[in-house]
Amino acid sequence: MADTATASRSVAFLGLGTMGFPMAGHLAVRGGHRVTVCNRTAAKAEAWTARFGGAGAATPAEAARDAELVFLCVGGDDDVRAVAGEAMTAMKPGTIIADHSTVSATVSREMADLARERGLFFLDAPVSGGQAGAENGVLTVMVGGDADAFARAQPLMACYGRSVTHMGPAGAGQLTKMVNQICIAGLLQGLAEGMAFAQKAGLDGHKVVDVIGKGAAQSWQMDNRAKTMLDGRFDFGFAVDWMRKDLGIVLDEARNNGATLPVTALVDQFYAEVQGMGGNRLDTSSLMTRLTR
């Protein structure tokens, strides 16, 4: 685990969903920071403070007013504009706001420009590792923005990230997350096809995974999702709806930069089929369901 030793800081965390709730908790417990939280649903903030202490705030501006660093983890582009935009109205000059949402590089650059105009620093810092990674404090954090601001924020992000890496200027963190989602989409479809093939061929799928998982086919997805796919279990943290949102961002960016993503576009449509089957909240490994129905 990374060394997260640093002086206790006054921080705000905006957005206490599946990822944000435990991430904010690690800032309080593992980091020993003084955390003020804010969530659209006040009951979530009340549950967080009951568990971790700290303080709750009614609005992003109230939470951010006295914070040395502000973190947020919300839904989409418009959510970032609304929450970060309001928080920045109350932040002191020189304060850093770091966005752990998965959104477009365009909105990240927009928010970085707005922050600069107000004498603030904005970091786009999406994460990978899912609900389990957030709960266990072992996320991968990919960060875009000012290098000095990153250096100041990195020790706090290490409270929940085992890998926290500066990727370049504003937007670079989100672009890196897009690469991550492109690779995951292709891997999951290949894994779903392989597991479905093993079943059709009359093989012991679990035994197949034990064998090929020691060779060139090995991946995190195989280690963590192949056997649950075979067992028809899709009740994990990262939902199909969220993946479709992410792939929509990827495909929009590809249209802008000229990248050709035929497999990603196809898998996005496969996820649309899973949604059509009522699988909106199933884990992304549920691509298996359209092959075995």
Side-chain angles (χ1 to χ4, degrees):
M1 184 180 298
D3 179 10
T4 61
T6 187
S8 177
R9 311 288 290 276
S10 176
V11 304
F13 204 103
L14 315 176
L16 299 173
T18 300
M19 304 294 284
F21 195 100
M23 290 165 72
H26 288 304
L27 283 168
V29 175
R30 186 180 291 180
H33 300 295
R34 304 181 302 281
V35 185
T36 299
V37 296
C38 178
N39 192 70
R40 184 178 300 167
T41 305
K44 263 287 185 69
E46 292 168 4
W48 190 93
T49 56
R51 179 172 173 182
F52 297 110
T59 67
E62 180 185 333
R65 183 165 292 115
D66 296 317
E68 299 172 66
L69 290 98
V70 177
F71 301 91
L72 68 147
C73 191
V74 293
D77 284 18
D78 288 342
D79 299 304
V80 170
R81 287 188 179 99
V83 175
E86 181 180 341
M88 283 193 272
T89 64
M91 290 164 60
K92 296 181 176 71
T95 306
I96 298 165
I97 180 166
D99 177 27
H100 291 306
S101 317
T102 296
V103 293
S104 70
T106 299
V107 78
S108 295
R109 297 186 188 110
E110 178 185 319
M111 291 295 100
D113 289 342
L114 179 62
R116 193 177 305 111
E117 291 171 6
R118 298 184 179 213
L120 308 170
F121 296 95
F122 182 91
L123 300 173
D124 53 292
V127 300
S128 180
Q131 181 177 354
E135 291 173 349
N136 295 321
V138 292
L139 293 168
T140 295
V141 189
M142 45 214 91
V143 187
D146 180 82
D148 291 338
F150 168 78
R152 290 164 52 198
Q154 190 276 339
L156 283 84
M157 294 183 187
C159 291
Y160 42 78
R162 65 178 170 187
S163 172
V164 183
T165 307
H166 186 238
M167 301 305 301
Q174 296 296 349
L175 292 170
T176 304
K177 179 63 182 285
M178 292 177 208
V179 175
N180 186 78
Q181 301 306 74
I182 291 166
C183 295
I184 287 174
L187 279 169
L188 280 170
Q189 178 60 22
L191 191 58
E193 292 181 14
M195 296 303 98
F197 180 92
Q199 289 181 330
K200 292 288 187 181
L203 294 168
D204 180 333
H206 284 247
K207 192 172 183 179
V208 169
V209 173
D210 288 339
V211 172
I212 68 173
K214 296 179 177 66
Q218 186 275 337
S219 68
W220 186 97
Q221 297 294 341
M222 178 173 287
D223 291 346
N224 290 275
R225 294 292 180 262
K227 291 183 179 180
T228 55
M229 290 165 81
L230 289 165
D231 294 340
R233 291 174 46 212
F234 309 110
D235 54 346
F236 304 100
F238 195 69
V240 168
D241 282 350
W242 302 341
M243 186 60 154
R244 284 220 73 206
K245 183 264 288 184
D246 290 0
L247 293 182
I249 292 168
V250 167
L251 294 169
D252 283 344
E253 185 67 31
R255 281 187 283 271
N256 291 332
N257 69 21
T260 303
L261 304 177
V263 173
T264 304
L266 185 60
V267 176
D268 180 56
Q269 291 308 301
F270 291 161
Y271 277 124
E273 289 184 32
V274 175
Q275 288 176 317
M277 296 164 57
N280 303 64
R281 306 303 294 179
L282 297 180
D283 177 76
T284 49
S285 60
S286 60
L287 283 170
M288 182 79 167
T289 59
R290 56 176 298 279
L291 301 174
T292 56
R293 56 184 168 176

